[in-house]
Amino acid sequence: MITKGHLAAFANDRNVVDVLDVLEGRGYPSSIENATVVNYVYDPAVFTHDLEKRFAAIEGKGVGALNRLRNGEVPTIGDQLAVIEFLDMHLHRGRYADRAGDSQPAILFKTDGTVEEAHLNYGDLMSLAHDHPNALRLIGRDLEQWQWQIYTTTNLWTGDGAVMLWRPDADHELSTVTFPLSPTQLLVIGEDIPTDFDMSRAIATRSRRWVIGPRGALPIEAIKRMKAERDGVA
């Protein structure tokens, strides 16, 4: 559910990262191949949208562009648009990262005039939510014309809530988008942000299911103790 190509920037030389499963209250080391995998999560039950194919195309272009940014290359317009689409996808998937397995009863009004009861699964709900008029989208906001910077930092984590949206206050429009490129690089699109802000803690707080960091960077043992205490009380 979090792109492997993105997680690779946080992995050691064995492609292993630390994972916190916020939903289940547990932490563990994992290969990036399996760190946030939920099998068949995007397969729809009713609609015919091929979300896996759509996301794969976005990931392919986006990860390449993100890697070039990490390597210090000046982004082309094509790279910027690929990154914006990737961040939009990551933001959208993150909103529902804790709802894999959910279903929703629905009434289908079919083109032949018949009516049918059905259950929309996670893939169906993702397709519907993607085009909801109230969903904040990054595409079409001309972010490629905003200022692009990379802040150097330390011990930066990522997660399903890693796309952070900033505005001066509730009365103003979106002014900045941030996203961790690696444990030491934060992509900042738009206006400057405070350099003393605890970005990793904010990402962990916003993430609904997964928090990812380099080996030894996440408080895995603390999470395990909390879960054991909770299970013991239960």
Side-chain angles (χ1 to χ4, degrees):
M1 295 180 72
I2 300 179
T3 306
K4 289 185 295 184
H6 169 55
L7 296 183
F10 295 81
N12 61 17
D13 55 5
R14 299 176 62 188
N15 280 331
V16 175
V17 292
D18 277 353
V19 180
L20 292 183
D21 186 330
V22 178
L23 198 61
E24 297 187 8
R26 62 192 184 101
Y28 49 90
S30 173
S31 162
I32 61 172
E33 298 293 328
N34 303 311
T36 65
V37 171
V38 180
N39 291 324
Y40 310 112
V41 69
Y42 298 123
D43 290 349
V46 175
F47 298 129
T48 58
H49 299 164
D50 191 338
L51 290 179
E52 287 280 8
K53 183 176 180 180
R54 179 179 183 179
F55 289 158
I58 294 172
E59 289 171 335
K61 293 180 180 179
V63 168
L66 289 170
N67 286 340
R68 286 187 285 277
L69 284 174
R70 287 175 49 230
N71 292 332
E73 298 183 30
V74 177
T76 65
I77 290 295
D79 279 347
Q80 289 176 313
L81 293 176
V83 168
I84 293 166
E85 191 169 20
F86 180 92
L87 297 183
D88 186 75
M89 176 196 70
H90 192 103
L91 177 66
H92 181 64
R93 294 200 302 200
R95 292 184 178 113
Y96 308 98
D98 59 342
R99 296 183 60 186
D102 281 7
S103 65
Q104 179 71 41
I107 301 294
L108 307 181
F109 294 87
K110 307 180 77 170
T111 56
D112 63 3
T114 61
V115 177
E116 178 182 324
E117 292 185 0
H119 276 81
L120 305 180
N121 70 4
Y122 181 83
D124 296 316
L125 296 173
M126 285 283 289
S127 294
L128 280 176
H130 188 269
D131 298 319
H132 194 282
N134 291 335
L136 191 153
R137 303 290 307 279
L138 301 181
I139 297 172
R141 289 178 172 265
D142 298 326
L143 267 62
E144 68 276 13
Q145 298 179 23
W146 293 13
Q147 176 178 238
W148 288 52
Q149 304 177 78
I150 296 178
Y151 286 14
T152 300
T153 184
T154 58
N155 193 30
L156 193 57
W157 306 343
T158 190
D160 56 68
V163 178
M164 300 281 290
L165 308 179
W166 301 68
R167 66 190 73 214
D169 55 54
D171 296 325
H172 286 78
E173 290 294 319
L174 176 70
S175 61
T176 307
V177 178
T178 60
F179 185 72
L181 299 179
S182 75
T184 60
Q185 296 169 302
L186 179 71
L187 175 63
V188 180
I189 304 174
E191 298 179 3
D192 292 337
I193 61 169
T195 56
D196 59 350
F197 182 76
D198 192 339
M199 186 64 68
S200 288
R201 180 178 293 275
I203 289 172
T205 300
R206 282 180 48 83
S207 294
R208 296 175 177 269
R209 178 70 190 267
W210 311 106
V211 181
I212 308 293
R215 289 289 287 121
L218 301 184
I220 286 181
E221 293 306 318
I223 293 294
K224 287 181 178 179
R225 286 195 297 271
M226 288 172 58
K227 186 175 188 301
E229 291 171 1
R230 185 184 64 191
D231 292 346
V233 171

